[in-house]
Amino acid sequence: MASAGLQIFAFILSLMGIFGATVATLLPNWKVSADMGANIITAISQMQGLWMDCTWYSTGMFSCTLKYSVLSLPAYLQTARTTMVLSCVLAALGLCLASLGLKCTRWGGGRRAKRRAALAAGSCLVAAGLLCLVPASWFIDEVISSFLDSNVPESSKFEPGGAVYVAFVSSGFLFLGGAIFCVSCSGKRREPRDPPAIGPPDKLLHQQLQQQQRQLQQQLQQRLLLPPPPPQHQYCTLSPLDNRGGYSLQDYV
């Protein structure tokens, strides 16, 4: 029961992780403009995400522009796009396998099948957490390096946005959920194995059994149809014993 409870807890963590990773992928605030120098006077906030750039004006208007050109994007942004999408796909696959590997459910096969499904789900979730952590770390490193660069003007400096922190937390949830699934299916060798599935007999073996039955039936029929053996008669003859005379009886069948 404790292992089943851990699996349910890991499933909830994984569900939160995939939800956070999806939200972080779509949010436009991976980096926001730093409030320093002349930006305080202009009161304009700029945000840049993986798919769009948004601007918030002091009048309350809000406008966003999609990033249509892929080749014009920097390498870290292209990598972040790819890895975040792959992280969401792997996390979704891990959740599907985890639903089959839960011990509290009836579907998914026997104990061995559930153990394998839980192990596969844990591997997918751990890989999804790694794919979510890598772009967030690379993105925040690029933002901090650009912020600390003295050659970059203050009006073009950005700070890490909320989407980066959501990606970090989501990767932690995915890592923890996948690790629990992997641990829950290990070290269970004492459990009895599932009985092997008994399928239909082999066709060749079935034919051999039929031939043997036919041969036995033919032998029984032959024994029943054969006439009984004739009775045996015994005959006696006299033969001399020796030269002195005398005779003895000898039996002939």
Side-chain angles (χ1 to χ4, degrees), residues 120-157:
S123 303
C124 290
L125 292 172
V126 170
L130 179 62
L131 289 175
C132 186
L133 179 64
V134 169
S137 303
W138 193 359
F139 200 95
I140 200 171
D141 179 70
E142 290 290 337
V143 172
I144 294 176
S145 299
S146 177
F147 184 85
L148 298 178
D149 191 359
S150 58
N151 297 324
V152 178
E154 295 181 354
S155 59
S156 300
K157 290 186 177 182

Side-chain angles (χ1 to χ4, degrees), residues 235-242 245-252:
Y235 300 94
C236 298
T237 58
L238 293 174
S239 60
L241 289 173
D242 49 16
Y247 298 90
S248 63
L249 292 176
Q250 292 182 354
D251 296 336
Y252 293 95

Side-chain angles (χ1 to χ4, degrees), residues 8-91:
I8 295 175
F9 177 65
F11 187 83
I12 295 174
L13 288 179
S14 304
L15 192 62
M16 294 172 60
I18 186 176
F19 178 75
T22 305
V23 170
T25 305
L26 299 177
L27 281 177
N29 59 339
W30 278 70
K31 61 180 180 180
V32 296
S33 57
D35 295 334
M36 58 183 299
N39 291 335
I40 301 178
I41 301 175
T42 56
I44 295 177
S45 178
Q46 295 181 354
M47 296 179 293
Q48 294 184 8
L50 302 180
W51 311 97
M52 64 180 68
D53 297 335
C54 298
T55 304
W56 184 272
Y57 298 97
S58 58
T59 57
M61 295 182 63
F62 188 81
S63 64
C64 293
T65 304
L66 293 175
K67 298 178 179 179
Y68 293 103
S69 179
V70 179
L71 298 178
S72 62
L73 299 176
Y76 72 93
L77 192 56
Q78 295 180 11
T79 305
R81 278 185 173 187
T82 306
T83 51
M84 288 302 293
V85 172
L86 289 178
S87 175
C88 295
V89 172
L90 274 179

Side-chain angles (χ1 to χ4, degrees), residues 14 17-18 21 83 85-99 116-132 170-171 173-182 185:
S14 304
I18 186 176
T83 51
V85 172
L86 289 178
S87 175
C88 295
V89 172
L90 274 179
L93 179 60
L95 281 180
C96 294
L97 293 174
S99 63
R116 292 173 182 175
L119 182 60
S123 303
C124 290
L125 292 172
V126 170
L130 179 62
L131 289 175
C132 186
S170 301
S171 65
F173 285 157
L174 292 174
F175 266 123
L176 186 58
I180 292 176
F181 270 112
C182 291
C185 65

Side-chain angles (χ1 to χ4, degrees), residues 216-237:
L216 290 175
Q217 290 178 359
Q218 292 176 359
Q219 292 177 1
L220 288 175
Q221 290 177 358
Q222 291 176 358
R223 290 182 180 179
L224 292 175
L225 294 176
L226 287 176
Q232 295 181 356
H233 301 280
Q234 293 182 353
Y235 300 94
C236 298
T237 58

